Tab-separated table of all heavy atoms in Angstrom:
chain	number	residue	atom	x	y	z
S	2	LEU	N	18.962	-35.044	90.159
S	2	LEU	CA	20.309	-34.609	89.641
S	2	LEU	C	20.297	-33.163	89.376
S	2	LEU	O	19.283	-32.615	88.934
S	2	LEU	CB	20.710	-35.366	88.370
S	2	LEU	CG	20.650	-36.875	88.312
S	2	LEU	CD1	20.802	-37.315	86.925
S	2	LEU	CD2	21.726	-37.419	89.219
S	11	LEU	N	33.150	-34.920	81.231
S	11	LEU	CA	33.996	-35.967	81.902
S	11	LEU	C	34.104	-37.135	80.950
S	11	LEU	O	33.137	-37.735	80.614
S	11	LEU	CB	33.521	-36.359	83.301
S	11	LEU	CG	33.366	-35.229	84.271
S	11	LEU	CD1	32.678	-35.775	85.566
S	11	LEU	CD2	34.718	-34.650	84.670
S	14	PRO	N	33.072	-36.609	74.678
S	14	PRO	CA	31.709	-36.675	74.148
S	14	PRO	C	31.144	-38.094	74.027
S	14	PRO	O	29.997	-38.363	74.347
S	14	PRO	CB	31.805	-36.082	72.830
S	14	PRO	CG	32.952	-35.066	72.950
S	14	PRO	CD	33.943	-35.742	73.852
S	25	LEU	N	18.823	-42.214	80.221
S	25	LEU	CA	17.496	-42.317	79.522
S	25	LEU	C	16.876	-43.691	79.697
S	25	LEU	O	15.733	-43.886	79.942
S	25	LEU	CB	17.661	-41.843	78.085
S	25	LEU	CG	17.736	-40.446	77.814
S	25	LEU	CD1	18.051	-40.244	76.327
S	25	LEU	CD2	16.541	-39.742	78.253
S	26	GLU	N	17.731	-44.681	79.452
S	26	GLU	CA	17.281	-46.089	79.527
S	26	GLU	C	16.730	-46.359	80.981
S	26	GLU	O	15.599	-46.918	81.107
S	26	GLU	CB	18.435	-46.984	79.172
S	26	GLU	CG	18.127	-48.487	79.165
S	26	GLU	CD	19.407	-49.290	78.933
S	26	GLU	OE1	20.177	-48.834	78.114
S	26	GLU	OE2	19.521	-50.302	79.585
S	30	LEU	N	12.523	-47.250	83.274
S	30	LEU	CA	12.218	-48.484	84.038
S	30	LEU	C	11.149	-48.066	85.139
S	30	LEU	O	11.161	-46.941	85.658
S	30	LEU	CB	13.454	-48.950	84.764
S	30	LEU	CG	14.521	-49.499	83.810
S	30	LEU	CD1	15.797	-49.832	84.540
S	30	LEU	CD2	14.036	-50.769	83.007
S	41	SER	N	18.556	-23.017	85.840
S	41	SER	CA	17.844	-21.779	85.935
S	41	SER	C	17.403	-21.477	87.401
S	41	SER	O	17.192	-20.364	87.763
S	41	SER	CB	16.680	-21.647	84.909
S	41	SER	OG	15.754	-22.695	85.347
S	48	LEU	N	22.208	-28.095	96.695
S	48	LEU	CA	23.705	-27.855	96.530
S	48	LEU	C	24.459	-27.961	97.802
S	48	LEU	O	25.708	-27.960	97.760
S	48	LEU	CB	23.844	-26.477	95.891
S	48	LEU	CG	23.309	-26.270	94.471
S	48	LEU	CD1	23.509	-24.830	93.966
S	48	LEU	CD2	23.914	-27.260	93.487
S	62	VAL	N	16.347	-44.388	107.802
S	62	VAL	CA	17.652	-43.781	108.053
S	62	VAL	C	17.978	-42.735	107.012
S	62	VAL	O	17.388	-42.708	105.918
S	62	VAL	CB	18.765	-44.862	108.004
S	62	VAL	CG1	18.533	-46.031	109.122
S	62	VAL	CG2	18.927	-45.568	106.626
S	68	VAL	N	33.194	-35.662	101.706
S	68	VAL	CA	34.435	-36.069	101.211
S	68	VAL	C	35.202	-36.954	102.183
S	68	VAL	O	35.213	-36.602	103.404
S	68	VAL	CB	35.337	-34.842	100.940
S	68	VAL	CG1	36.706	-35.162	100.538
S	68	VAL	CG2	34.702	-33.899	99.841
S	69	GLY	N	35.679	-38.065	101.770
S	69	GLY	CA	36.332	-39.023	102.709
S	69	GLY	C	35.414	-39.855	103.493
S	69	GLY	O	35.886	-40.575	104.378
S	83	TYR	N	15.478	-34.241	106.520
S	83	TYR	CA	15.945	-34.594	105.229
S	83	TYR	C	14.888	-35.016	104.269
S	83	TYR	O	14.932	-34.707	103.042
S	83	TYR	CB	17.110	-35.656	105.281
S	83	TYR	CG	18.388	-35.061	105.587
S	83	TYR	CD1	18.880	-34.986	106.843
S	83	TYR	CD2	19.221	-34.525	104.564
S	83	TYR	CE1	20.209	-34.482	107.144
S	83	TYR	CE2	20.423	-33.947	104.811
S	83	TYR	CZ	20.838	-33.861	106.111
S	83	TYR	OH	22.060	-33.343	106.340
S	95	LEU	N	12.485	-30.689	87.420
S	95	LEU	CA	11.701	-30.939	86.198
S	95	LEU	C	10.944	-32.198	86.390
S	95	LEU	O	11.267	-33.095	87.088
S	95	LEU	CB	12.621	-31.035	85.041
S	95	LEU	CG	13.479	-29.810	84.601
S	95	LEU	CD1	14.409	-30.094	83.525
S	95	LEU	CD2	12.611	-28.573	84.385
S	97	ARG	N	9.480	-35.879	85.050
S	97	ARG	CA	10.212	-37.039	84.451
S	97	ARG	C	10.289	-36.871	82.929
S	97	ARG	O	11.353	-37.042	82.342
S	97	ARG	CB	9.502	-38.328	84.780
S	97	ARG	CG	9.502	-38.593	86.268
S	97	ARG	CD	8.539	-39.707	86.613
S	97	ARG	NE	9.113	-40.985	86.308
S	97	ARG	CZ	8.526	-42.194	86.584
S	97	ARG	NH1	7.352	-42.144	87.171
S	97	ARG	NH2	9.154	-43.260	86.266
S	112	THR	N	29.347	-32.739	70.624
S	112	THR	CA	30.041	-33.021	69.333
S	112	THR	C	31.185	-34.052	69.558
S	112	THR	O	31.723	-34.215	70.560
S	112	THR	CB	30.656	-31.769	68.767
S	112	THR	OG1	31.431	-31.140	69.700
S	112	THR	CG2	29.437	-30.856	68.327
Side-chain angles (χ1 to χ4, degrees):
L2 303 171
L11 298 173
L25 281 174
E26 180 183 323
L30 296 173
S41 60
L48 296 175
V62 297
V68 175
Y83 276 96
L95 299 175
R97 295 166 80 177
T112 57

